[in-house]
Amino acid sequence: WLEFRGKPILPIGDSVTQGWMESGANFDQRAYLDALSARGINVVLLWSYIATSAQSQRQDPRIGYDAPEIWPWKGSPDERNLDLTAFNPAYFERLHEFVQYADSRNIVVVITVQDGWPKTRFACHPLNAALGNGPLTDRRQLVVLADYDKEMPARYHPDWTWQQKNQYFQERFADRLIAELKDCSNVIFEMFNEGEWYEPAQRRLHEEHFLRFFRKRTTAPLATNVDHIRSRDFGARQNPAVDIISLHGKPWTGHFARFEREFKAEPARVVFETEPVPSFSGRDAAPEEAVSLDTLCAAVRERALSGAGWVAQNDASFGWDPESAMAGQANLRDQAYDQIGHAARFFNQEGIEFWKMSPDSKLASTGICLAEPGRAYVVYAPHGGEISVDLSTAAGQMNVKWIDPRTGAKKAAAAAEGGAKRTFACPDDRDWVLHLNREE
């Protein structure tokens, strides 16, 4: 389990991906963090940067205008004058303010460090040689370093090869991130966003290089996104620099068994879903393939009961920039925060000793259960109806409580006798959470 300020937490929260960086000063970061904190949400994820331009922002349905993005480096891709040898102090000052304010609101910040999405945005990627002094001429070159086993010198040489320059610029950015946030105790660094389309061996070596680079410089927890590293040689659990295994699920629900396996695997690592796919678009009456509020509600319960941390990939959070196209989705955005907050408070503020529990699909007929057998059980019923729970190791009576995941409201029911499998009828045919604990 992740620990924050000396106690275990189950991180449940929101992801604004690149919206913070693309909107720059227009993104009301304090109001955003206040909205999360007020609901008991305790984690947020953002990407450190993404390739962007005036054209890409106008075409992006989440943004819809030429937003005042804030780059880590001086210059602009629109002006083709990005200078990767010169950092932009305003970027790091704003990021530091975000992280410090999050800390004051008891929120952990996960920062995805590398990539910037050359996958579809290489034309405006800061390392693209056409936009300044970047070294790359092809999107797949991002993971190609000059020496995966050694770091580059701290002093830049303009006559280096493109591989040396690529490694140097990425290392210097990582080093600056670490240095700027060294006084913040609420940071998790995720090495990379996705990357399954890179050459597998190079992608693995790049990840391992930066895991070592970060571990040498910081005690902050480090996360690696293993399901987008295709190399079979990447033993993330055996890597001493890895604290957190991050996964991406598609669709949002139906992955309890996978996360249960990851939770129980050895050596133990914190498990975290940093990007459920696709994103929540801020529409509830959405096309069939999109994510509704009901799907979001189900996903956060399923993932929490699997013992994993979770953030919603929430495009509606771009709306904290009042100029963005997403600003009009504030009502559904806030409803999404409400759903996330109900789950975050239940596990972190209402006496659930989840750190003594583990996921066990065999204990409940729904297959979604977090339990300390004999003492406490939390079961999710996605479709209501009757559910059975194996209480054969529980002696005496068990308190029974139903939690409405849509409102967080609790409803006590008659006590149940332990010692056998018992059946419980949900209050109606919607989804419900059942909480059983032994009477003390």
Side-chain angles (χ1 to χ4, degrees):
W1 300 99
L2 187 69
E3 287 196 356
F4 180 44
R5 292 180 174 155
K7 73 174 191 176
I9 66 165
L10 187 53
I12 298 174
D14 188 57
S15 169
V16 71
T17 56
Q18 76 266 24
W20 172 85
M21 177 262 174
E22 287 209 68
S23 291
N26 284 1
F27 188 90
D28 192 342
Q29 58 188 29
R30 288 202 168 211
Y32 171 56
L33 293 168
D34 285 342
L36 302 185
S37 176
R39 294 166 169 86
I41 292 171
N42 61 3
V43 65
V44 62
L45 178 142
L46 57 82
W47 294 354
S48 61
Y49 74 92
I50 190 169
T52 192
S53 65
Q55 180 182 6
S56 69
Q57 289 177 339
R58 291 188 185 106
Q59 294 174 345
D60 191 325
R62 299 166 296 187
I63 301 172
Y65 79 108
D66 182 10
E69 75 274 4
I70 184 165
W71 286 100
W73 304 276
K74 292 185 177 179
S76 162
D78 292 311
E79 301 297 327
R80 295 179 174 264
N81 64 351
L82 275 164
D83 183 1
L84 303 185
T85 66
F87 287 116
N88 175 17
Y91 169 92
F92 294 98
E93 289 168 7
R94 183 165 173 80
L95 179 61
H96 188 269
E97 179 189 341
F98 182 98
V99 175
Q100 273 204 328
Y101 192 68
D103 196 15
S104 75
R105 309 300 283 166
N106 299 311
I107 295 174
V108 173
V109 180
V110 182
I111 299 175
T112 302
V113 177
Q114 303 283 13
D115 193 30
W117 260 66
K119 182 176 183 177
T120 61
R121 295 189 174 198
F122 185 68
C124 51
H125 196 281
L127 271 70
N128 185 337
L131 304 178
N133 60 1
L136 308 184
T137 57
D138 183 273
R139 63 182 188 144
R140 296 181 182 272
Q141 293 173 337
L142 186 78
V143 297
V144 181
L145 306 181
D147 192 330
Y148 292 100
D149 295 321
K150 297 179 182 178
E151 296 178 12
M152 293 296 296
R155 185 173 180 179
Y156 178 71
H157 291 279
D159 57 345
W160 277 341
T161 65
W162 70 263
Q163 294 95 332
Q164 290 173 312
K165 292 178 181 178
N166 185 42
Q167 181 172 343
Y168 174 84
F169 290 137
Q170 291 188 47
E171 288 180 352
R172 296 282 62 78
F173 174 57
D175 187 62
R176 183 64 179 264
L177 269 183
I178 295 166
E180 291 286 345
L181 300 175
K182 64 183 179 182
D183 63 335
C184 302
S185 62
N186 61 325
V187 176
I188 294 170
F189 291 108
E190 184 183 39
M191 295 297 98
F192 207 91
N193 178 70
E194 301 184 9
E196 77 285 0
W197 53 279
Y198 292 108
E199 197 284 318
Q202 292 173 338
R203 171 71 182 91
R204 172 182 64 84
L205 290 169
H206 183 280
E207 185 84 1
E208 291 175 338
H209 177 84
F210 278 99
L211 282 165
R212 292 192 299 271
F213 187 93
F214 272 78
R215 182 50 70 227
K216 181 179 177 180
R217 291 164 171 81
T218 180
T219 59
L222 305 182
T224 183
N225 180 224
V226 297
D227 55 0
H228 283 95
I229 302 177
R230 300 305 188 201
S231 174
R232 295 182 180 179
D233 299 326
F234 184 55
R237 286 187 174 274
Q238 286 68 41
N239 190 321
V242 173
D243 302 298
I244 298 170
I245 302 292
S246 77
L247 300 169
H248 294 182
K250 181 180 182 179
W252 281 43
T253 59
H255 306 293
F256 184 87
R258 177 192 183 197
F259 279 83
E260 180 183 7
R261 288 195 301 272
E262 290 288 349
F263 182 93
K264 294 180 177 179
E266 295 291 342
R269 294 288 184 268
V270 174
V271 183
F272 205 128
E273 184 167 33
T274 55
E275 188 169 298
V277 181
S279 56
F280 176 66
S281 66
R283 296 176 298 163
D284 198 26
E288 185 176 342
E289 69 274 10
V291 178
S292 67
L293 283 173
D294 285 345
T295 302
L296 185 148
C297 181
V300 64
R301 271 83 190 167
E302 179 187 300
R303 204 63 68 246
L305 268 64
S306 73
W310 181 88
V311 290
Q313 187 188 176
N314 188 358
D315 285 352
S317 289
F318 281 54
W320 290 101
D321 171 1
E323 301 296 320
S324 73
M326 273 296 178
Q329 303 293 342
N331 181 47
L332 269 296
R333 177 198 70 202
D334 291 347
Q335 289 184 52
Y337 294 161
D338 290 341
Q339 300 292 342
I340 299 166
H342 296 324
R345 289 193 305 275
F346 175 74
F347 284 99
N348 292 288
Q349 298 181 12
E350 298 183 12
I352 308 298
E353 295 182 320
F354 58 85
W355 57 92
K356 298 180 180 179
M357 306 167 80
S358 62
D360 194 331
S361 57
K362 299 185 297 297
L363 291 176
S365 58
T366 65
I368 304 174
C369 178
L370 184 71
E372 181 186 359
R375 182 178 174 274
Y377 306 77
V378 182
V379 180
Y380 181 57
H383 308 295
E386 285 194 342
I387 60 176
S388 61
V389 184
D390 184 355
L391 302 179
S392 58
T393 61
Q397 289 203 320
M398 304 290 289
N399 295 315
V400 179
K401 188 181 297 180
W402 293 100
I403 297 94
D404 184 339
R406 291 157 297 280
T407 66
K410 301 167 187 63
K411 179 180 179 180
E417 197 69 39
K421 185 177 290 187
R422 304 297 180 192
T423 300
F424 304 86
C426 292
D428 56 38
D429 59 0
R430 299 179 302 169
D431 61 325
W432 286 89
V433 174
L434 174 65
H435 179 207
L436 308 170
N437 67 293
R438 190 177 61 207
E439 290 186 348
E440 299 295 343

